[in-house]
Every structure is written in structure tokens, then in C-alpha cells.
Amino acid sequence: MITRGNPQLNRNGELIHLLSTEGLGKANINHILDTATNFVSVSDRDVKKVPLLRGKSVFNLFFENSTRTRTTFDIAATRLSADVVNLDIARSSTSKGESLLDTIDNLTAMAADVFVMRHSESGAPYLVAQHVPKHVHVINAGDGRHAHPTQALLDMYTIRHFKGDIHNLSVAIVGDVLHSRVARSNIHALTTLGCPDVRVVGPRTLVPSDMAHMGARVCHTLEEGIRDADVVIALRLQNERMSGALLPSSQEYFKHFGLTTERMKWAKSDAIVMHPGPINRGVEIDSAVADGPQAVILSQVTFGIAVRMAVMSIVAGNEG
Ligand code: CP
């Protein structure tokens, strides 16, 4: 993975790319969340548009599948009045052997201003950010197991919206932490914002003890992990990233770590339940919880539009 320096900030500490929540300061994160607050109301207007990216071209490059991230970036860029190009990767010339950087050079020659990029290789957005001309901005929409910064930022926005000051909260992240770019990005964002109690919860095969070095408490039972939590974030079992048998079965996983109404009684009575999606009902979360009164899963999706509008408007407004 390429992580030399901090290529996402300019020499004034302003965001020019968004590659990871690691390396962002509290001020950077709060600036994005505060900017997003202003964009939430745009969605309630008859004309859901502001002219901030008029004349700019945003290219969505999703080398991995996506429903929420791709669509909300598309909506967000459209609401900022940008011209949006969704490259159909399956029909693109990458299938003929064109390299990632050659693809990027050709799209840059079409006057791209912002690349939104998801890739299965950790570090691919870093490679692109260090390759593009100074006026072009790169936003990581998820790279391998490494980072999913806009998901973490919309999660911070959701927590702040429903629970207020992050300084007073206990947040439990439950599930396949080992393979989760969302978990890593959330831990960095939560600790940077001053959350005093971040827990990662799951079986030893999916939550290694060394995750404690990131500033999270490691818990191997659900009861210990979510007891008195204000926020419970469930993660999907990422079978596509598991190289061996890390679990006996998904039924066995649900038996010990699945979120049910009964088990949610261990958390605070007003705890919220989050999930980045896609959810696997009956594996990491029971339908009664996913569709229940504590779930804010669809609010996360809606806030994702405003947060992505904020990220795009901020990076495009800063000089490299
Ligand atoms: N949360 C998330 O990244 O969902 P998608 O894979 O559908 O974009």
C-alpha cells in the first residue's frame, strides 16, 4: 500500500483528496460534517440543486460493485450541478488490458476534475492521487480492506445527529472487523473526534487482539461488547474477502453475535443500531432489529448524500 506522506492534504492542511480518515485532523472532519449539515436541507427543496460544481466533471469509477456509495455519489454530484460520468467498468477497456493509470490519463484528457474511485486493491486511490495533475481530486469510495472514508464520515454524521456529542459515547462495532474497511475508517474517525469508548466485538478469528493498537477495546463476547453502548454498528460477514474457513457457519455466527431484540437489551435502552449495508438478515442482524425502532440504517444512506456533497465541494474548492 502506498501511504507516503499525507497526499490528501495541501501544505495548509486543507483537504485536496479524500483517501482515508487516518491522517485527518479533528478540524478536517468537523469541517466536512458542518458543511454536510448545510447540504441536508438541499434535499428538502423543490429544486434540489446548488451551483457549487457547475462546469466541473465528476467521474465515478467503481471497479467493485456498489449500490449505496455509487448512487449517492451520483446524486450528490448532480445536486452540486456537476457533469457526472459513471464509467461502466465491465464494458471499459480495462478488460482489454489497459492499466489503471492509463485509464486515468485518458479520462483526465477528457477534462475530469474529480475521480470517485472504488477498487479491490488497497492503496489504489493513493496511487491515482499521486499520479493525477494538481487540479484533479481523488475521493476513495472504498479500497480493499483498507479504508472507506465517506462511509465513516456519514456514520459520524449519523451518530452526531442522533446521539449528540461524540465525547460522551460508547460505540461498539460488531462483526467481521478483520476484513472491514468501514471498521478501520470508523475507528480512526471516532478516536480522532474524541470518542472515549470504542469497542470492536466478534470472534477471535474476525477480531484479532492486535486491533487494540488502533485505540479500540477488543471484546470476544457480544454481551461484554455491547453492554451499555450508545451506538451499535453491525458489520456484514465479508465472505468474499475470507481466504479460509474463519467461521464454522453463518448460523453459528448468528447464534453468538447476531443482533436480536433480546440481545439489544444489553445496550442502553436508547441505543441506535447502524449498519453500512448491504445487510444480511439472519446472519449479523435479525430483521426485527434491522427494521425496528432503534435502527437508523436508512438515515445513514440519506445522510450519505449530504456528506458526499460536502466532501466533493470541499476538495474541489481547495488548491493542490
Ligand atoms: N456501504 C457501502 O459501501 O455500500 P455499497 O457497497 O452498496 O456502496
Side-chain angles (χ1 to χ4, degrees):
M1 189 190 310
I2 294 168
T3 54
R4 282 190 298 275
N6 192 350
Q8 58 190 342
L9 303 178
N10 66 16
R11 65 183 59 171
N12 300 322
E14 298 163 329
L15 202 66
I16 50 171
H17 307 290
L18 179 65
L19 305 175
S20 168
T21 51
E22 186 178 13
L24 292 187
K26 193 172 183 172
N28 295 122
I29 296 177
N30 279 328
H31 179 43
I32 295 167
L33 303 186
D34 294 342
T35 306
T37 303
N38 297 326
F39 287 131
V40 166
S41 62
V42 173
S43 302
D44 297 329
R45 296 186 196 161
D46 286 343
V47 179
K48 297 178 175 48
K49 282 213 175 192
V50 289
L52 288 168
L53 290 194
R54 185 180 288 157
K56 303 277 187 194
S57 296
V58 174
F59 281 63
N60 273 332
L61 310 179
F62 279 69
F63 294 86
E64 238 188 31
N65 291 345
S66 167
T67 296
R68 283 145 289 272
T69 312
R70 177 177 169 149
T71 311
T72 53
F73 263 115
D74 190 347
I75 294 168
T78 304
R79 289 192 183 165
L80 291 168
S81 306
D83 297 318
V84 187
V85 178
N86 287 297
L87 189 69
D88 183 349
I89 298 294
R91 291 165 192 262
S92 76
S93 291
T94 54
S95 63
K96 300 176 198 164
E98 186 168 59
S99 75
L100 174 61
L101 294 184
D102 281 333
T103 301
I104 293 293
D105 284 343
N106 280 271
L107 300 177
T108 302
M110 299 175 205
D113 295 289
V114 178
F115 288 119
V116 175
M117 185 179 163
R118 171 170 289 190
H119 204 283
S120 58
E121 290 295 324
S122 295
Y126 281 79
L127 186 69
V128 173
Q130 289 175 321
H131 178 77
V132 292
K134 275 189 162 192
H135 68 276
V136 177
H137 307 276
V138 179
I139 300 173
N140 182 1
D143 63 326
R145 296 185 191 186
H146 171 239
H148 193 348
T150 58
Q151 179 68 47
L153 290 164
L154 74 87
D155 287 348
M156 296 308 109
Y157 189 95
T158 304
I159 293 171
R160 205 168 81 161
H161 176 85
F162 285 103
K163 303 305 297 180
D165 190 355
I166 285 177
H167 289 97
N168 300 322
L169 300 178
S170 295
V171 179
I173 303 172
V174 183
D176 183 3
V177 177
L178 179 66
H179 299 98
S180 175
R181 54 197 178 202
V182 175
R184 255 173 278 283
S185 290
N186 270 334
I187 295 168
H188 286 302
L190 285 163
T191 53
T192 300
L193 289 177
C195 181
D197 182 16
V198 183
R199 310 164 191 178
V200 285
V201 188
R204 287 174 200 282
T205 46
L206 298 181
V207 185
S209 301
D210 65 5
M211 301 243 53
H213 80 268
M214 294 181 71
R217 177 152 67 91
V218 176
C219 304
H220 293 304
T221 68
L222 187 63
E223 181 169 0
E224 180 197 358
I226 68 171
R227 183 164 293 289
D228 296 326
D230 300 282
V231 178
V232 179
I233 302 175
L235 300 174
R236 183 174 67 87
L237 291 184
Q238 302 196 38
N239 292 310
E240 73 276 19
R241 294 192 208 285
M242 292 187 198
S243 50
L246 298 178
L247 290 170
S249 67
S250 53
Q251 292 89 338
E252 187 72 9
Y253 177 82
F254 183 73
K255 197 166 124 191
H256 294 286
F257 291 97
L259 292 182
T260 62
T261 308
E262 198 55 37
R263 291 171 178 167
M264 276 305 299
K265 290 180 184 157
W266 291 325
K268 286 192 180 150
S269 58
D270 62 350
I272 57 170
V273 176
M274 299 169 55
H275 193 307
I279 62 174
N280 289 140
R281 293 167 186 266
V283 180
E284 68 270 4
I285 191 165
D286 193 45
S287 281
V289 177
D291 303 328
Q294 290 174 282
V296 297
I297 297 167
L298 296 179
S299 297
Q300 289 173 259
V301 177
T302 305
F303 290 143
I305 297 172
V307 169
R308 289 175 172 129
M309 287 173 78
V311 170
M312 281 191 280
S313 65
I314 289 170
V315 296
N318 289 328
E319 299 278 329

